[in-house]
Amino acid sequence: RHDLLVVAEPAFLRDLDQAWGRPAARVRLSFLPGVHAPSAPGQEDALMSYERGGLGVLVARGRTSLYEGESARSTTALARIASGARLRAALLVTRATPLRGSGDVAGGAAPGQVRVVSDHLNLSGGPLFPATGMVSAGWDANLAERLGRLRGVSGSAVVALIPGPLRPSPAEARALVSLGADVAVTDSVAEAMALACRGVCVAALTYLDAPAAGGNLGRAQHSLRQASGVALAAVEEVLRSLQAGA
């Protein structure tokens, strides 16, 4: 049994690797039925199993994005498999494109920050995952509040799910901001909602990297080591939440 699923690229798992050591088991993500091996740079075709304080933790070290051309069924296959195995919570860590310039004090979502996801807009142009009917799902407010208090988390963000692979143009960025979005992502939303509609408590962190086209790149290169530390703290905070509710 696994209680928590973590999905993050290896760059955000450096501190976890050092703190947790070798996993109890490791398989290829693509070994699972319907799950395709990630092809984007920086992703690994690896799924780890750990035991932490009596809780089982699955750590996926890669994911597929919409722009890789995979179907909604493929990009959410891991989420749908995991949610069928008595999973209780999930934490996703991803990269996001801030939609406002780094000097935009009012927007505040500048490159280098780590934000907790509070809500999303699905602008992918298609269904997030296969289903037999309409369902309801959302981000877990309790987990979002807990993660928002962690050191290194710079508040919350509404994410816009876009197909990619192009970052939003200046005009597109302005349109997304007018709709209420703070940042744009190309993954994580579909997987999170596939989990949430099956009763899993879901939260996500976004690392803000290069801004939308035409933005200021001056603060885009934030230390991934620091972001990795925030990610480890978030994983351990979710585990504490699960232990408290056990």
Side-chain angles (χ1 to χ4, degrees), residues 126-230:
L128 294 180
F129 52 86
T132 57
M134 297 294 289
V135 296
S136 297
W139 302 90
D140 188 88
N142 176 59
L143 287 181
E145 181 180 359
R146 294 180 72 124
L147 298 184
R149 295 196 295 263
L150 293 177
R151 182 177 181 180
V153 176
S154 303
S156 62
V158 175
V159 302
L161 178 65
I162 61 173
L166 289 176
R167 299 184 188 277
S169 69
E172 289 170 332
R174 291 192 296 270
L176 292 174
V177 169
S178 71
L179 291 173
D182 301 301
V183 301
V185 297
T186 60
D187 56 46
S188 297
V189 173
E191 304 95 296
M193 294 303 102
L195 289 160
C197 76
R198 291 166 171 79
V200 179
C201 299
V202 182
L205 294 178
T206 62
Y207 167 75
L208 310 191
D209 57 6
N216 184 352
L217 293 171
R219 294 179 58 193
Q221 297 304 316
H222 178 69
S223 169
L224 279 177
R225 171 63 69 185
Q226 183 174 343
S228 174
V230 176

Side-chain angles (χ1 to χ4, degrees), residues 5-242:
L5 170 67
V6 178
V7 181
E9 65 183 85
F12 297 122
L13 296 171
R14 293 171 183 168
D15 283 52
L16 185 148
D17 291 341
Q18 292 182 1
W20 288 17
R22 297 182 61 181
R26 172 179 178 142
V27 298
R28 297 190 315 275
L29 276 168
S30 56
F31 175 80
L32 301 176
V35 180
H36 290 248
S39 60
Q43 310 284 336
E44 286 184 12
D45 184 17
L47 181 65
M48 313 290 213
S49 176
Y50 296 87
E51 191 279 326
R52 301 295 295 178
L55 300 178
V57 183
L58 276 175
V59 179
R61 300 175 65 88
R63 57 159 65 85
T64 54
S65 294
L66 294 174
Y67 60 76
E68 294 178 59
E70 302 293 349
S71 67
R73 182 175 295 276
S74 296
T75 56
T76 59
L78 173 62
R80 290 181 289 110
I81 292 170
S83 62
R86 296 192 296 170
L87 194 71
R88 297 167 58 195
L91 173 67
L92 296 85
V93 185
T94 189
R95 296 174 186 260
T97 299
L99 299 171
R100 306 173 190 261
S102 62
D104 189 340
V105 177
Q113 294 181 352
V114 175
R115 295 286 191 100
V116 61
V117 173
S118 60
D119 207 343
H120 70 269
L121 300 170
N122 175 23
L123 303 176
S124 65
L128 294 180
F129 52 86
T132 57
M134 297 294 289
V135 296
S136 297
W139 302 90
D140 188 88
N142 176 59
L143 287 181
E145 181 180 359
R146 294 180 72 124
L147 298 184
R149 295 196 295 263
L150 293 177
R151 182 177 181 180
V153 176
S154 303
S156 62
V158 175
V159 302
L161 178 65
I162 61 173
L166 289 176
R167 299 184 188 277
S169 69
E172 289 170 332
R174 291 192 296 270
L176 292 174
V177 169
S178 71
L179 291 173
D182 301 301
V183 301
V185 297
T186 60
D187 56 46
S188 297
V189 173
E191 304 95 296
M193 294 303 102
L195 289 160
C197 76
R198 291 166 171 79
V200 179
C201 299
V202 182
L205 294 178
T206 62
Y207 167 75
L208 310 191
D209 57 6
N216 184 352
L217 293 171
R219 294 179 58 193
Q221 297 304 316
H222 178 69
S223 169
L224 279 177
R225 171 63 69 185
Q226 183 174 343
S228 174
V230 176
L232 173 60
V235 172
E236 294 180 337
E237 182 64 24
V238 176
L239 286 175
R240 282 192 289 270
S241 175
L242 292 176

